[in-house]
Amino acid sequence: MSKILMLRHGITEGNKKKWFYGETDLPLLPEGIEELKRQKEEGLYPDIPEDALFFTTGKGRTAETLNTLFGEREFEKIKDLREINFGICECKSFDELKDEPEFQAWAYDETGDVAFPEGESRNHFKERVCRGFNYLLERHQAHEEKTNPAMTVIVCHGGVIAEILDSAFPGEKESLWDWMPEPGSGYLLEVEDGKIKEPCLLGKVTIY
């Protein structure tokens, strides 16, 4: 059985301050790097073979996480797997945004079509994330033809992971956000016939 390890990047200032952010390229905090190292020492992550494929989203925090956990590795960037762009609401907390009409329109939108000014809608986000993950699966399957069992590692973002799993396993969780892992954690997915099976959570889920 081949596997995909899907990890959320480590702790940033945005995570600590509970900001809505995605497009902003925040680096890992020093404590985020130390937390990743601690989790690796404690055996949170599975063994990764030398011939594994590695991917990030092109954001610095995803590359920093990959390098901290697995050393200097060659990796491909899948920009479609970047976090949602919150536009003018980037790097602001719920308390700062809760009374803003633009945020309320997005937060209470039931269609998924409302976009942040200078940002994107939930539907657009879902469409590109699914497109990016399908590309990842294609690359993984091509790797399977050469290496069996194959392993692929993608370091991405909490909202991306939640969207992928909610789309793959609709109705299994009460909310999409119930899939979201802690920073530095994620899921190990088994892949069979090009489809992902029940994901195994590393660590615990968090509250968005």
Side-chain angles (χ1 to χ4, degrees):
M1 189 79 69
S2 66
K3 296 180 180 179
I4 295 175
L5 179 61
M6 188 163 55
L7 294 176
R8 184 181 183 185
H9 62 77
I11 298 168
T12 67
E13 181 182 9
N15 298 133
K16 286 208 70 175
K17 295 183 176 178
K18 299 186 182 300
W19 285 344
F20 289 86
Y21 83 101
E23 186 60 26
T24 307
D25 201 2
L26 298 177
L28 298 185
L29 291 174
E31 66 188 79
I33 294 174
E34 290 306 310
E35 178 74 1
L36 291 172
K37 292 178 179 178
R38 181 188 66 78
Q39 291 180 166
K40 183 176 181 180
E41 289 176 358
E42 292 178 353
L44 181 67
Y45 310 106
D47 293 333
I48 307 298
E50 287 298 319
D51 58 4
L53 292 181
F54 290 89
F55 296 87
T56 74
T57 67
K59 292 297 185 183
R61 56 191 182 270
T62 61
E64 283 184 273
T65 299
L66 190 153
N67 291 339
T68 299
L69 293 177
F70 309 114
E72 295 289 335
R73 302 274 193 149
E74 291 187 5
F75 60 86
E76 183 180 343
K77 301 173 185 178
I78 306 179
K79 293 184 178 181
D80 276 339
L81 293 181
R82 290 181 176 183
E83 186 60 276
I84 191 170
N85 184 347
F86 291 97
I88 65 171
C89 297
E90 287 266 322
C91 297
K92 295 181 180 179
S93 68
F94 176 77
D95 286 340
E96 293 175 290
L97 292 171
K98 62 184 179 182
D99 296 324
E100 296 295 328
E102 295 89 354
F103 179 77
Q104 290 180 344
W106 176 84
Y108 299 108
D109 169 40
E110 296 182 357
T111 69
D113 291 328
V114 175
F116 293 99
E118 302 176 26
E120 62 185 327
S121 69
R122 284 194 178 101
N123 286 340
H124 181 269
F125 173 64
K126 180 176 182 176
E127 179 183 350
R128 72 165 170 81
V129 165
C130 289
R131 181 172 64 238
F133 190 68
N134 285 336
Y135 173 76
L136 180 76
L137 283 175
E138 290 173 3
R139 294 283 284 111
H140 179 79
Q141 287 179 279
H143 188 50
E144 278 184 313
E145 296 176 2
K146 303 175 183 178
T147 305
N148 193 8
M151 169 71 86
T152 293
V153 177
I154 169 70
V155 182
C156 54
H157 310 270
V160 171
I161 293 173
E163 189 63 69
I164 288 170
L165 295 181
D166 194 63
S167 296
F169 304 99
E172 187 161 319
K173 301 286 187 181
E174 186 172 334
S175 166
L176 176 151
W177 305 116
D178 291 338
W179 287 107
M180 185 177 289
E182 292 280 358
S185 184
Y187 292 85
L188 187 62
L189 312 174
E190 291 187 342
V191 183
E192 186 174 30
D193 297 328
K195 296 182 180 180
I196 59 174
K197 300 174 70 67
E198 189 73 20
C200 176
L201 175 66
L202 310 178
K204 59 184 179 179
V205 296
T206 190
I207 300 299
Y208 183 63

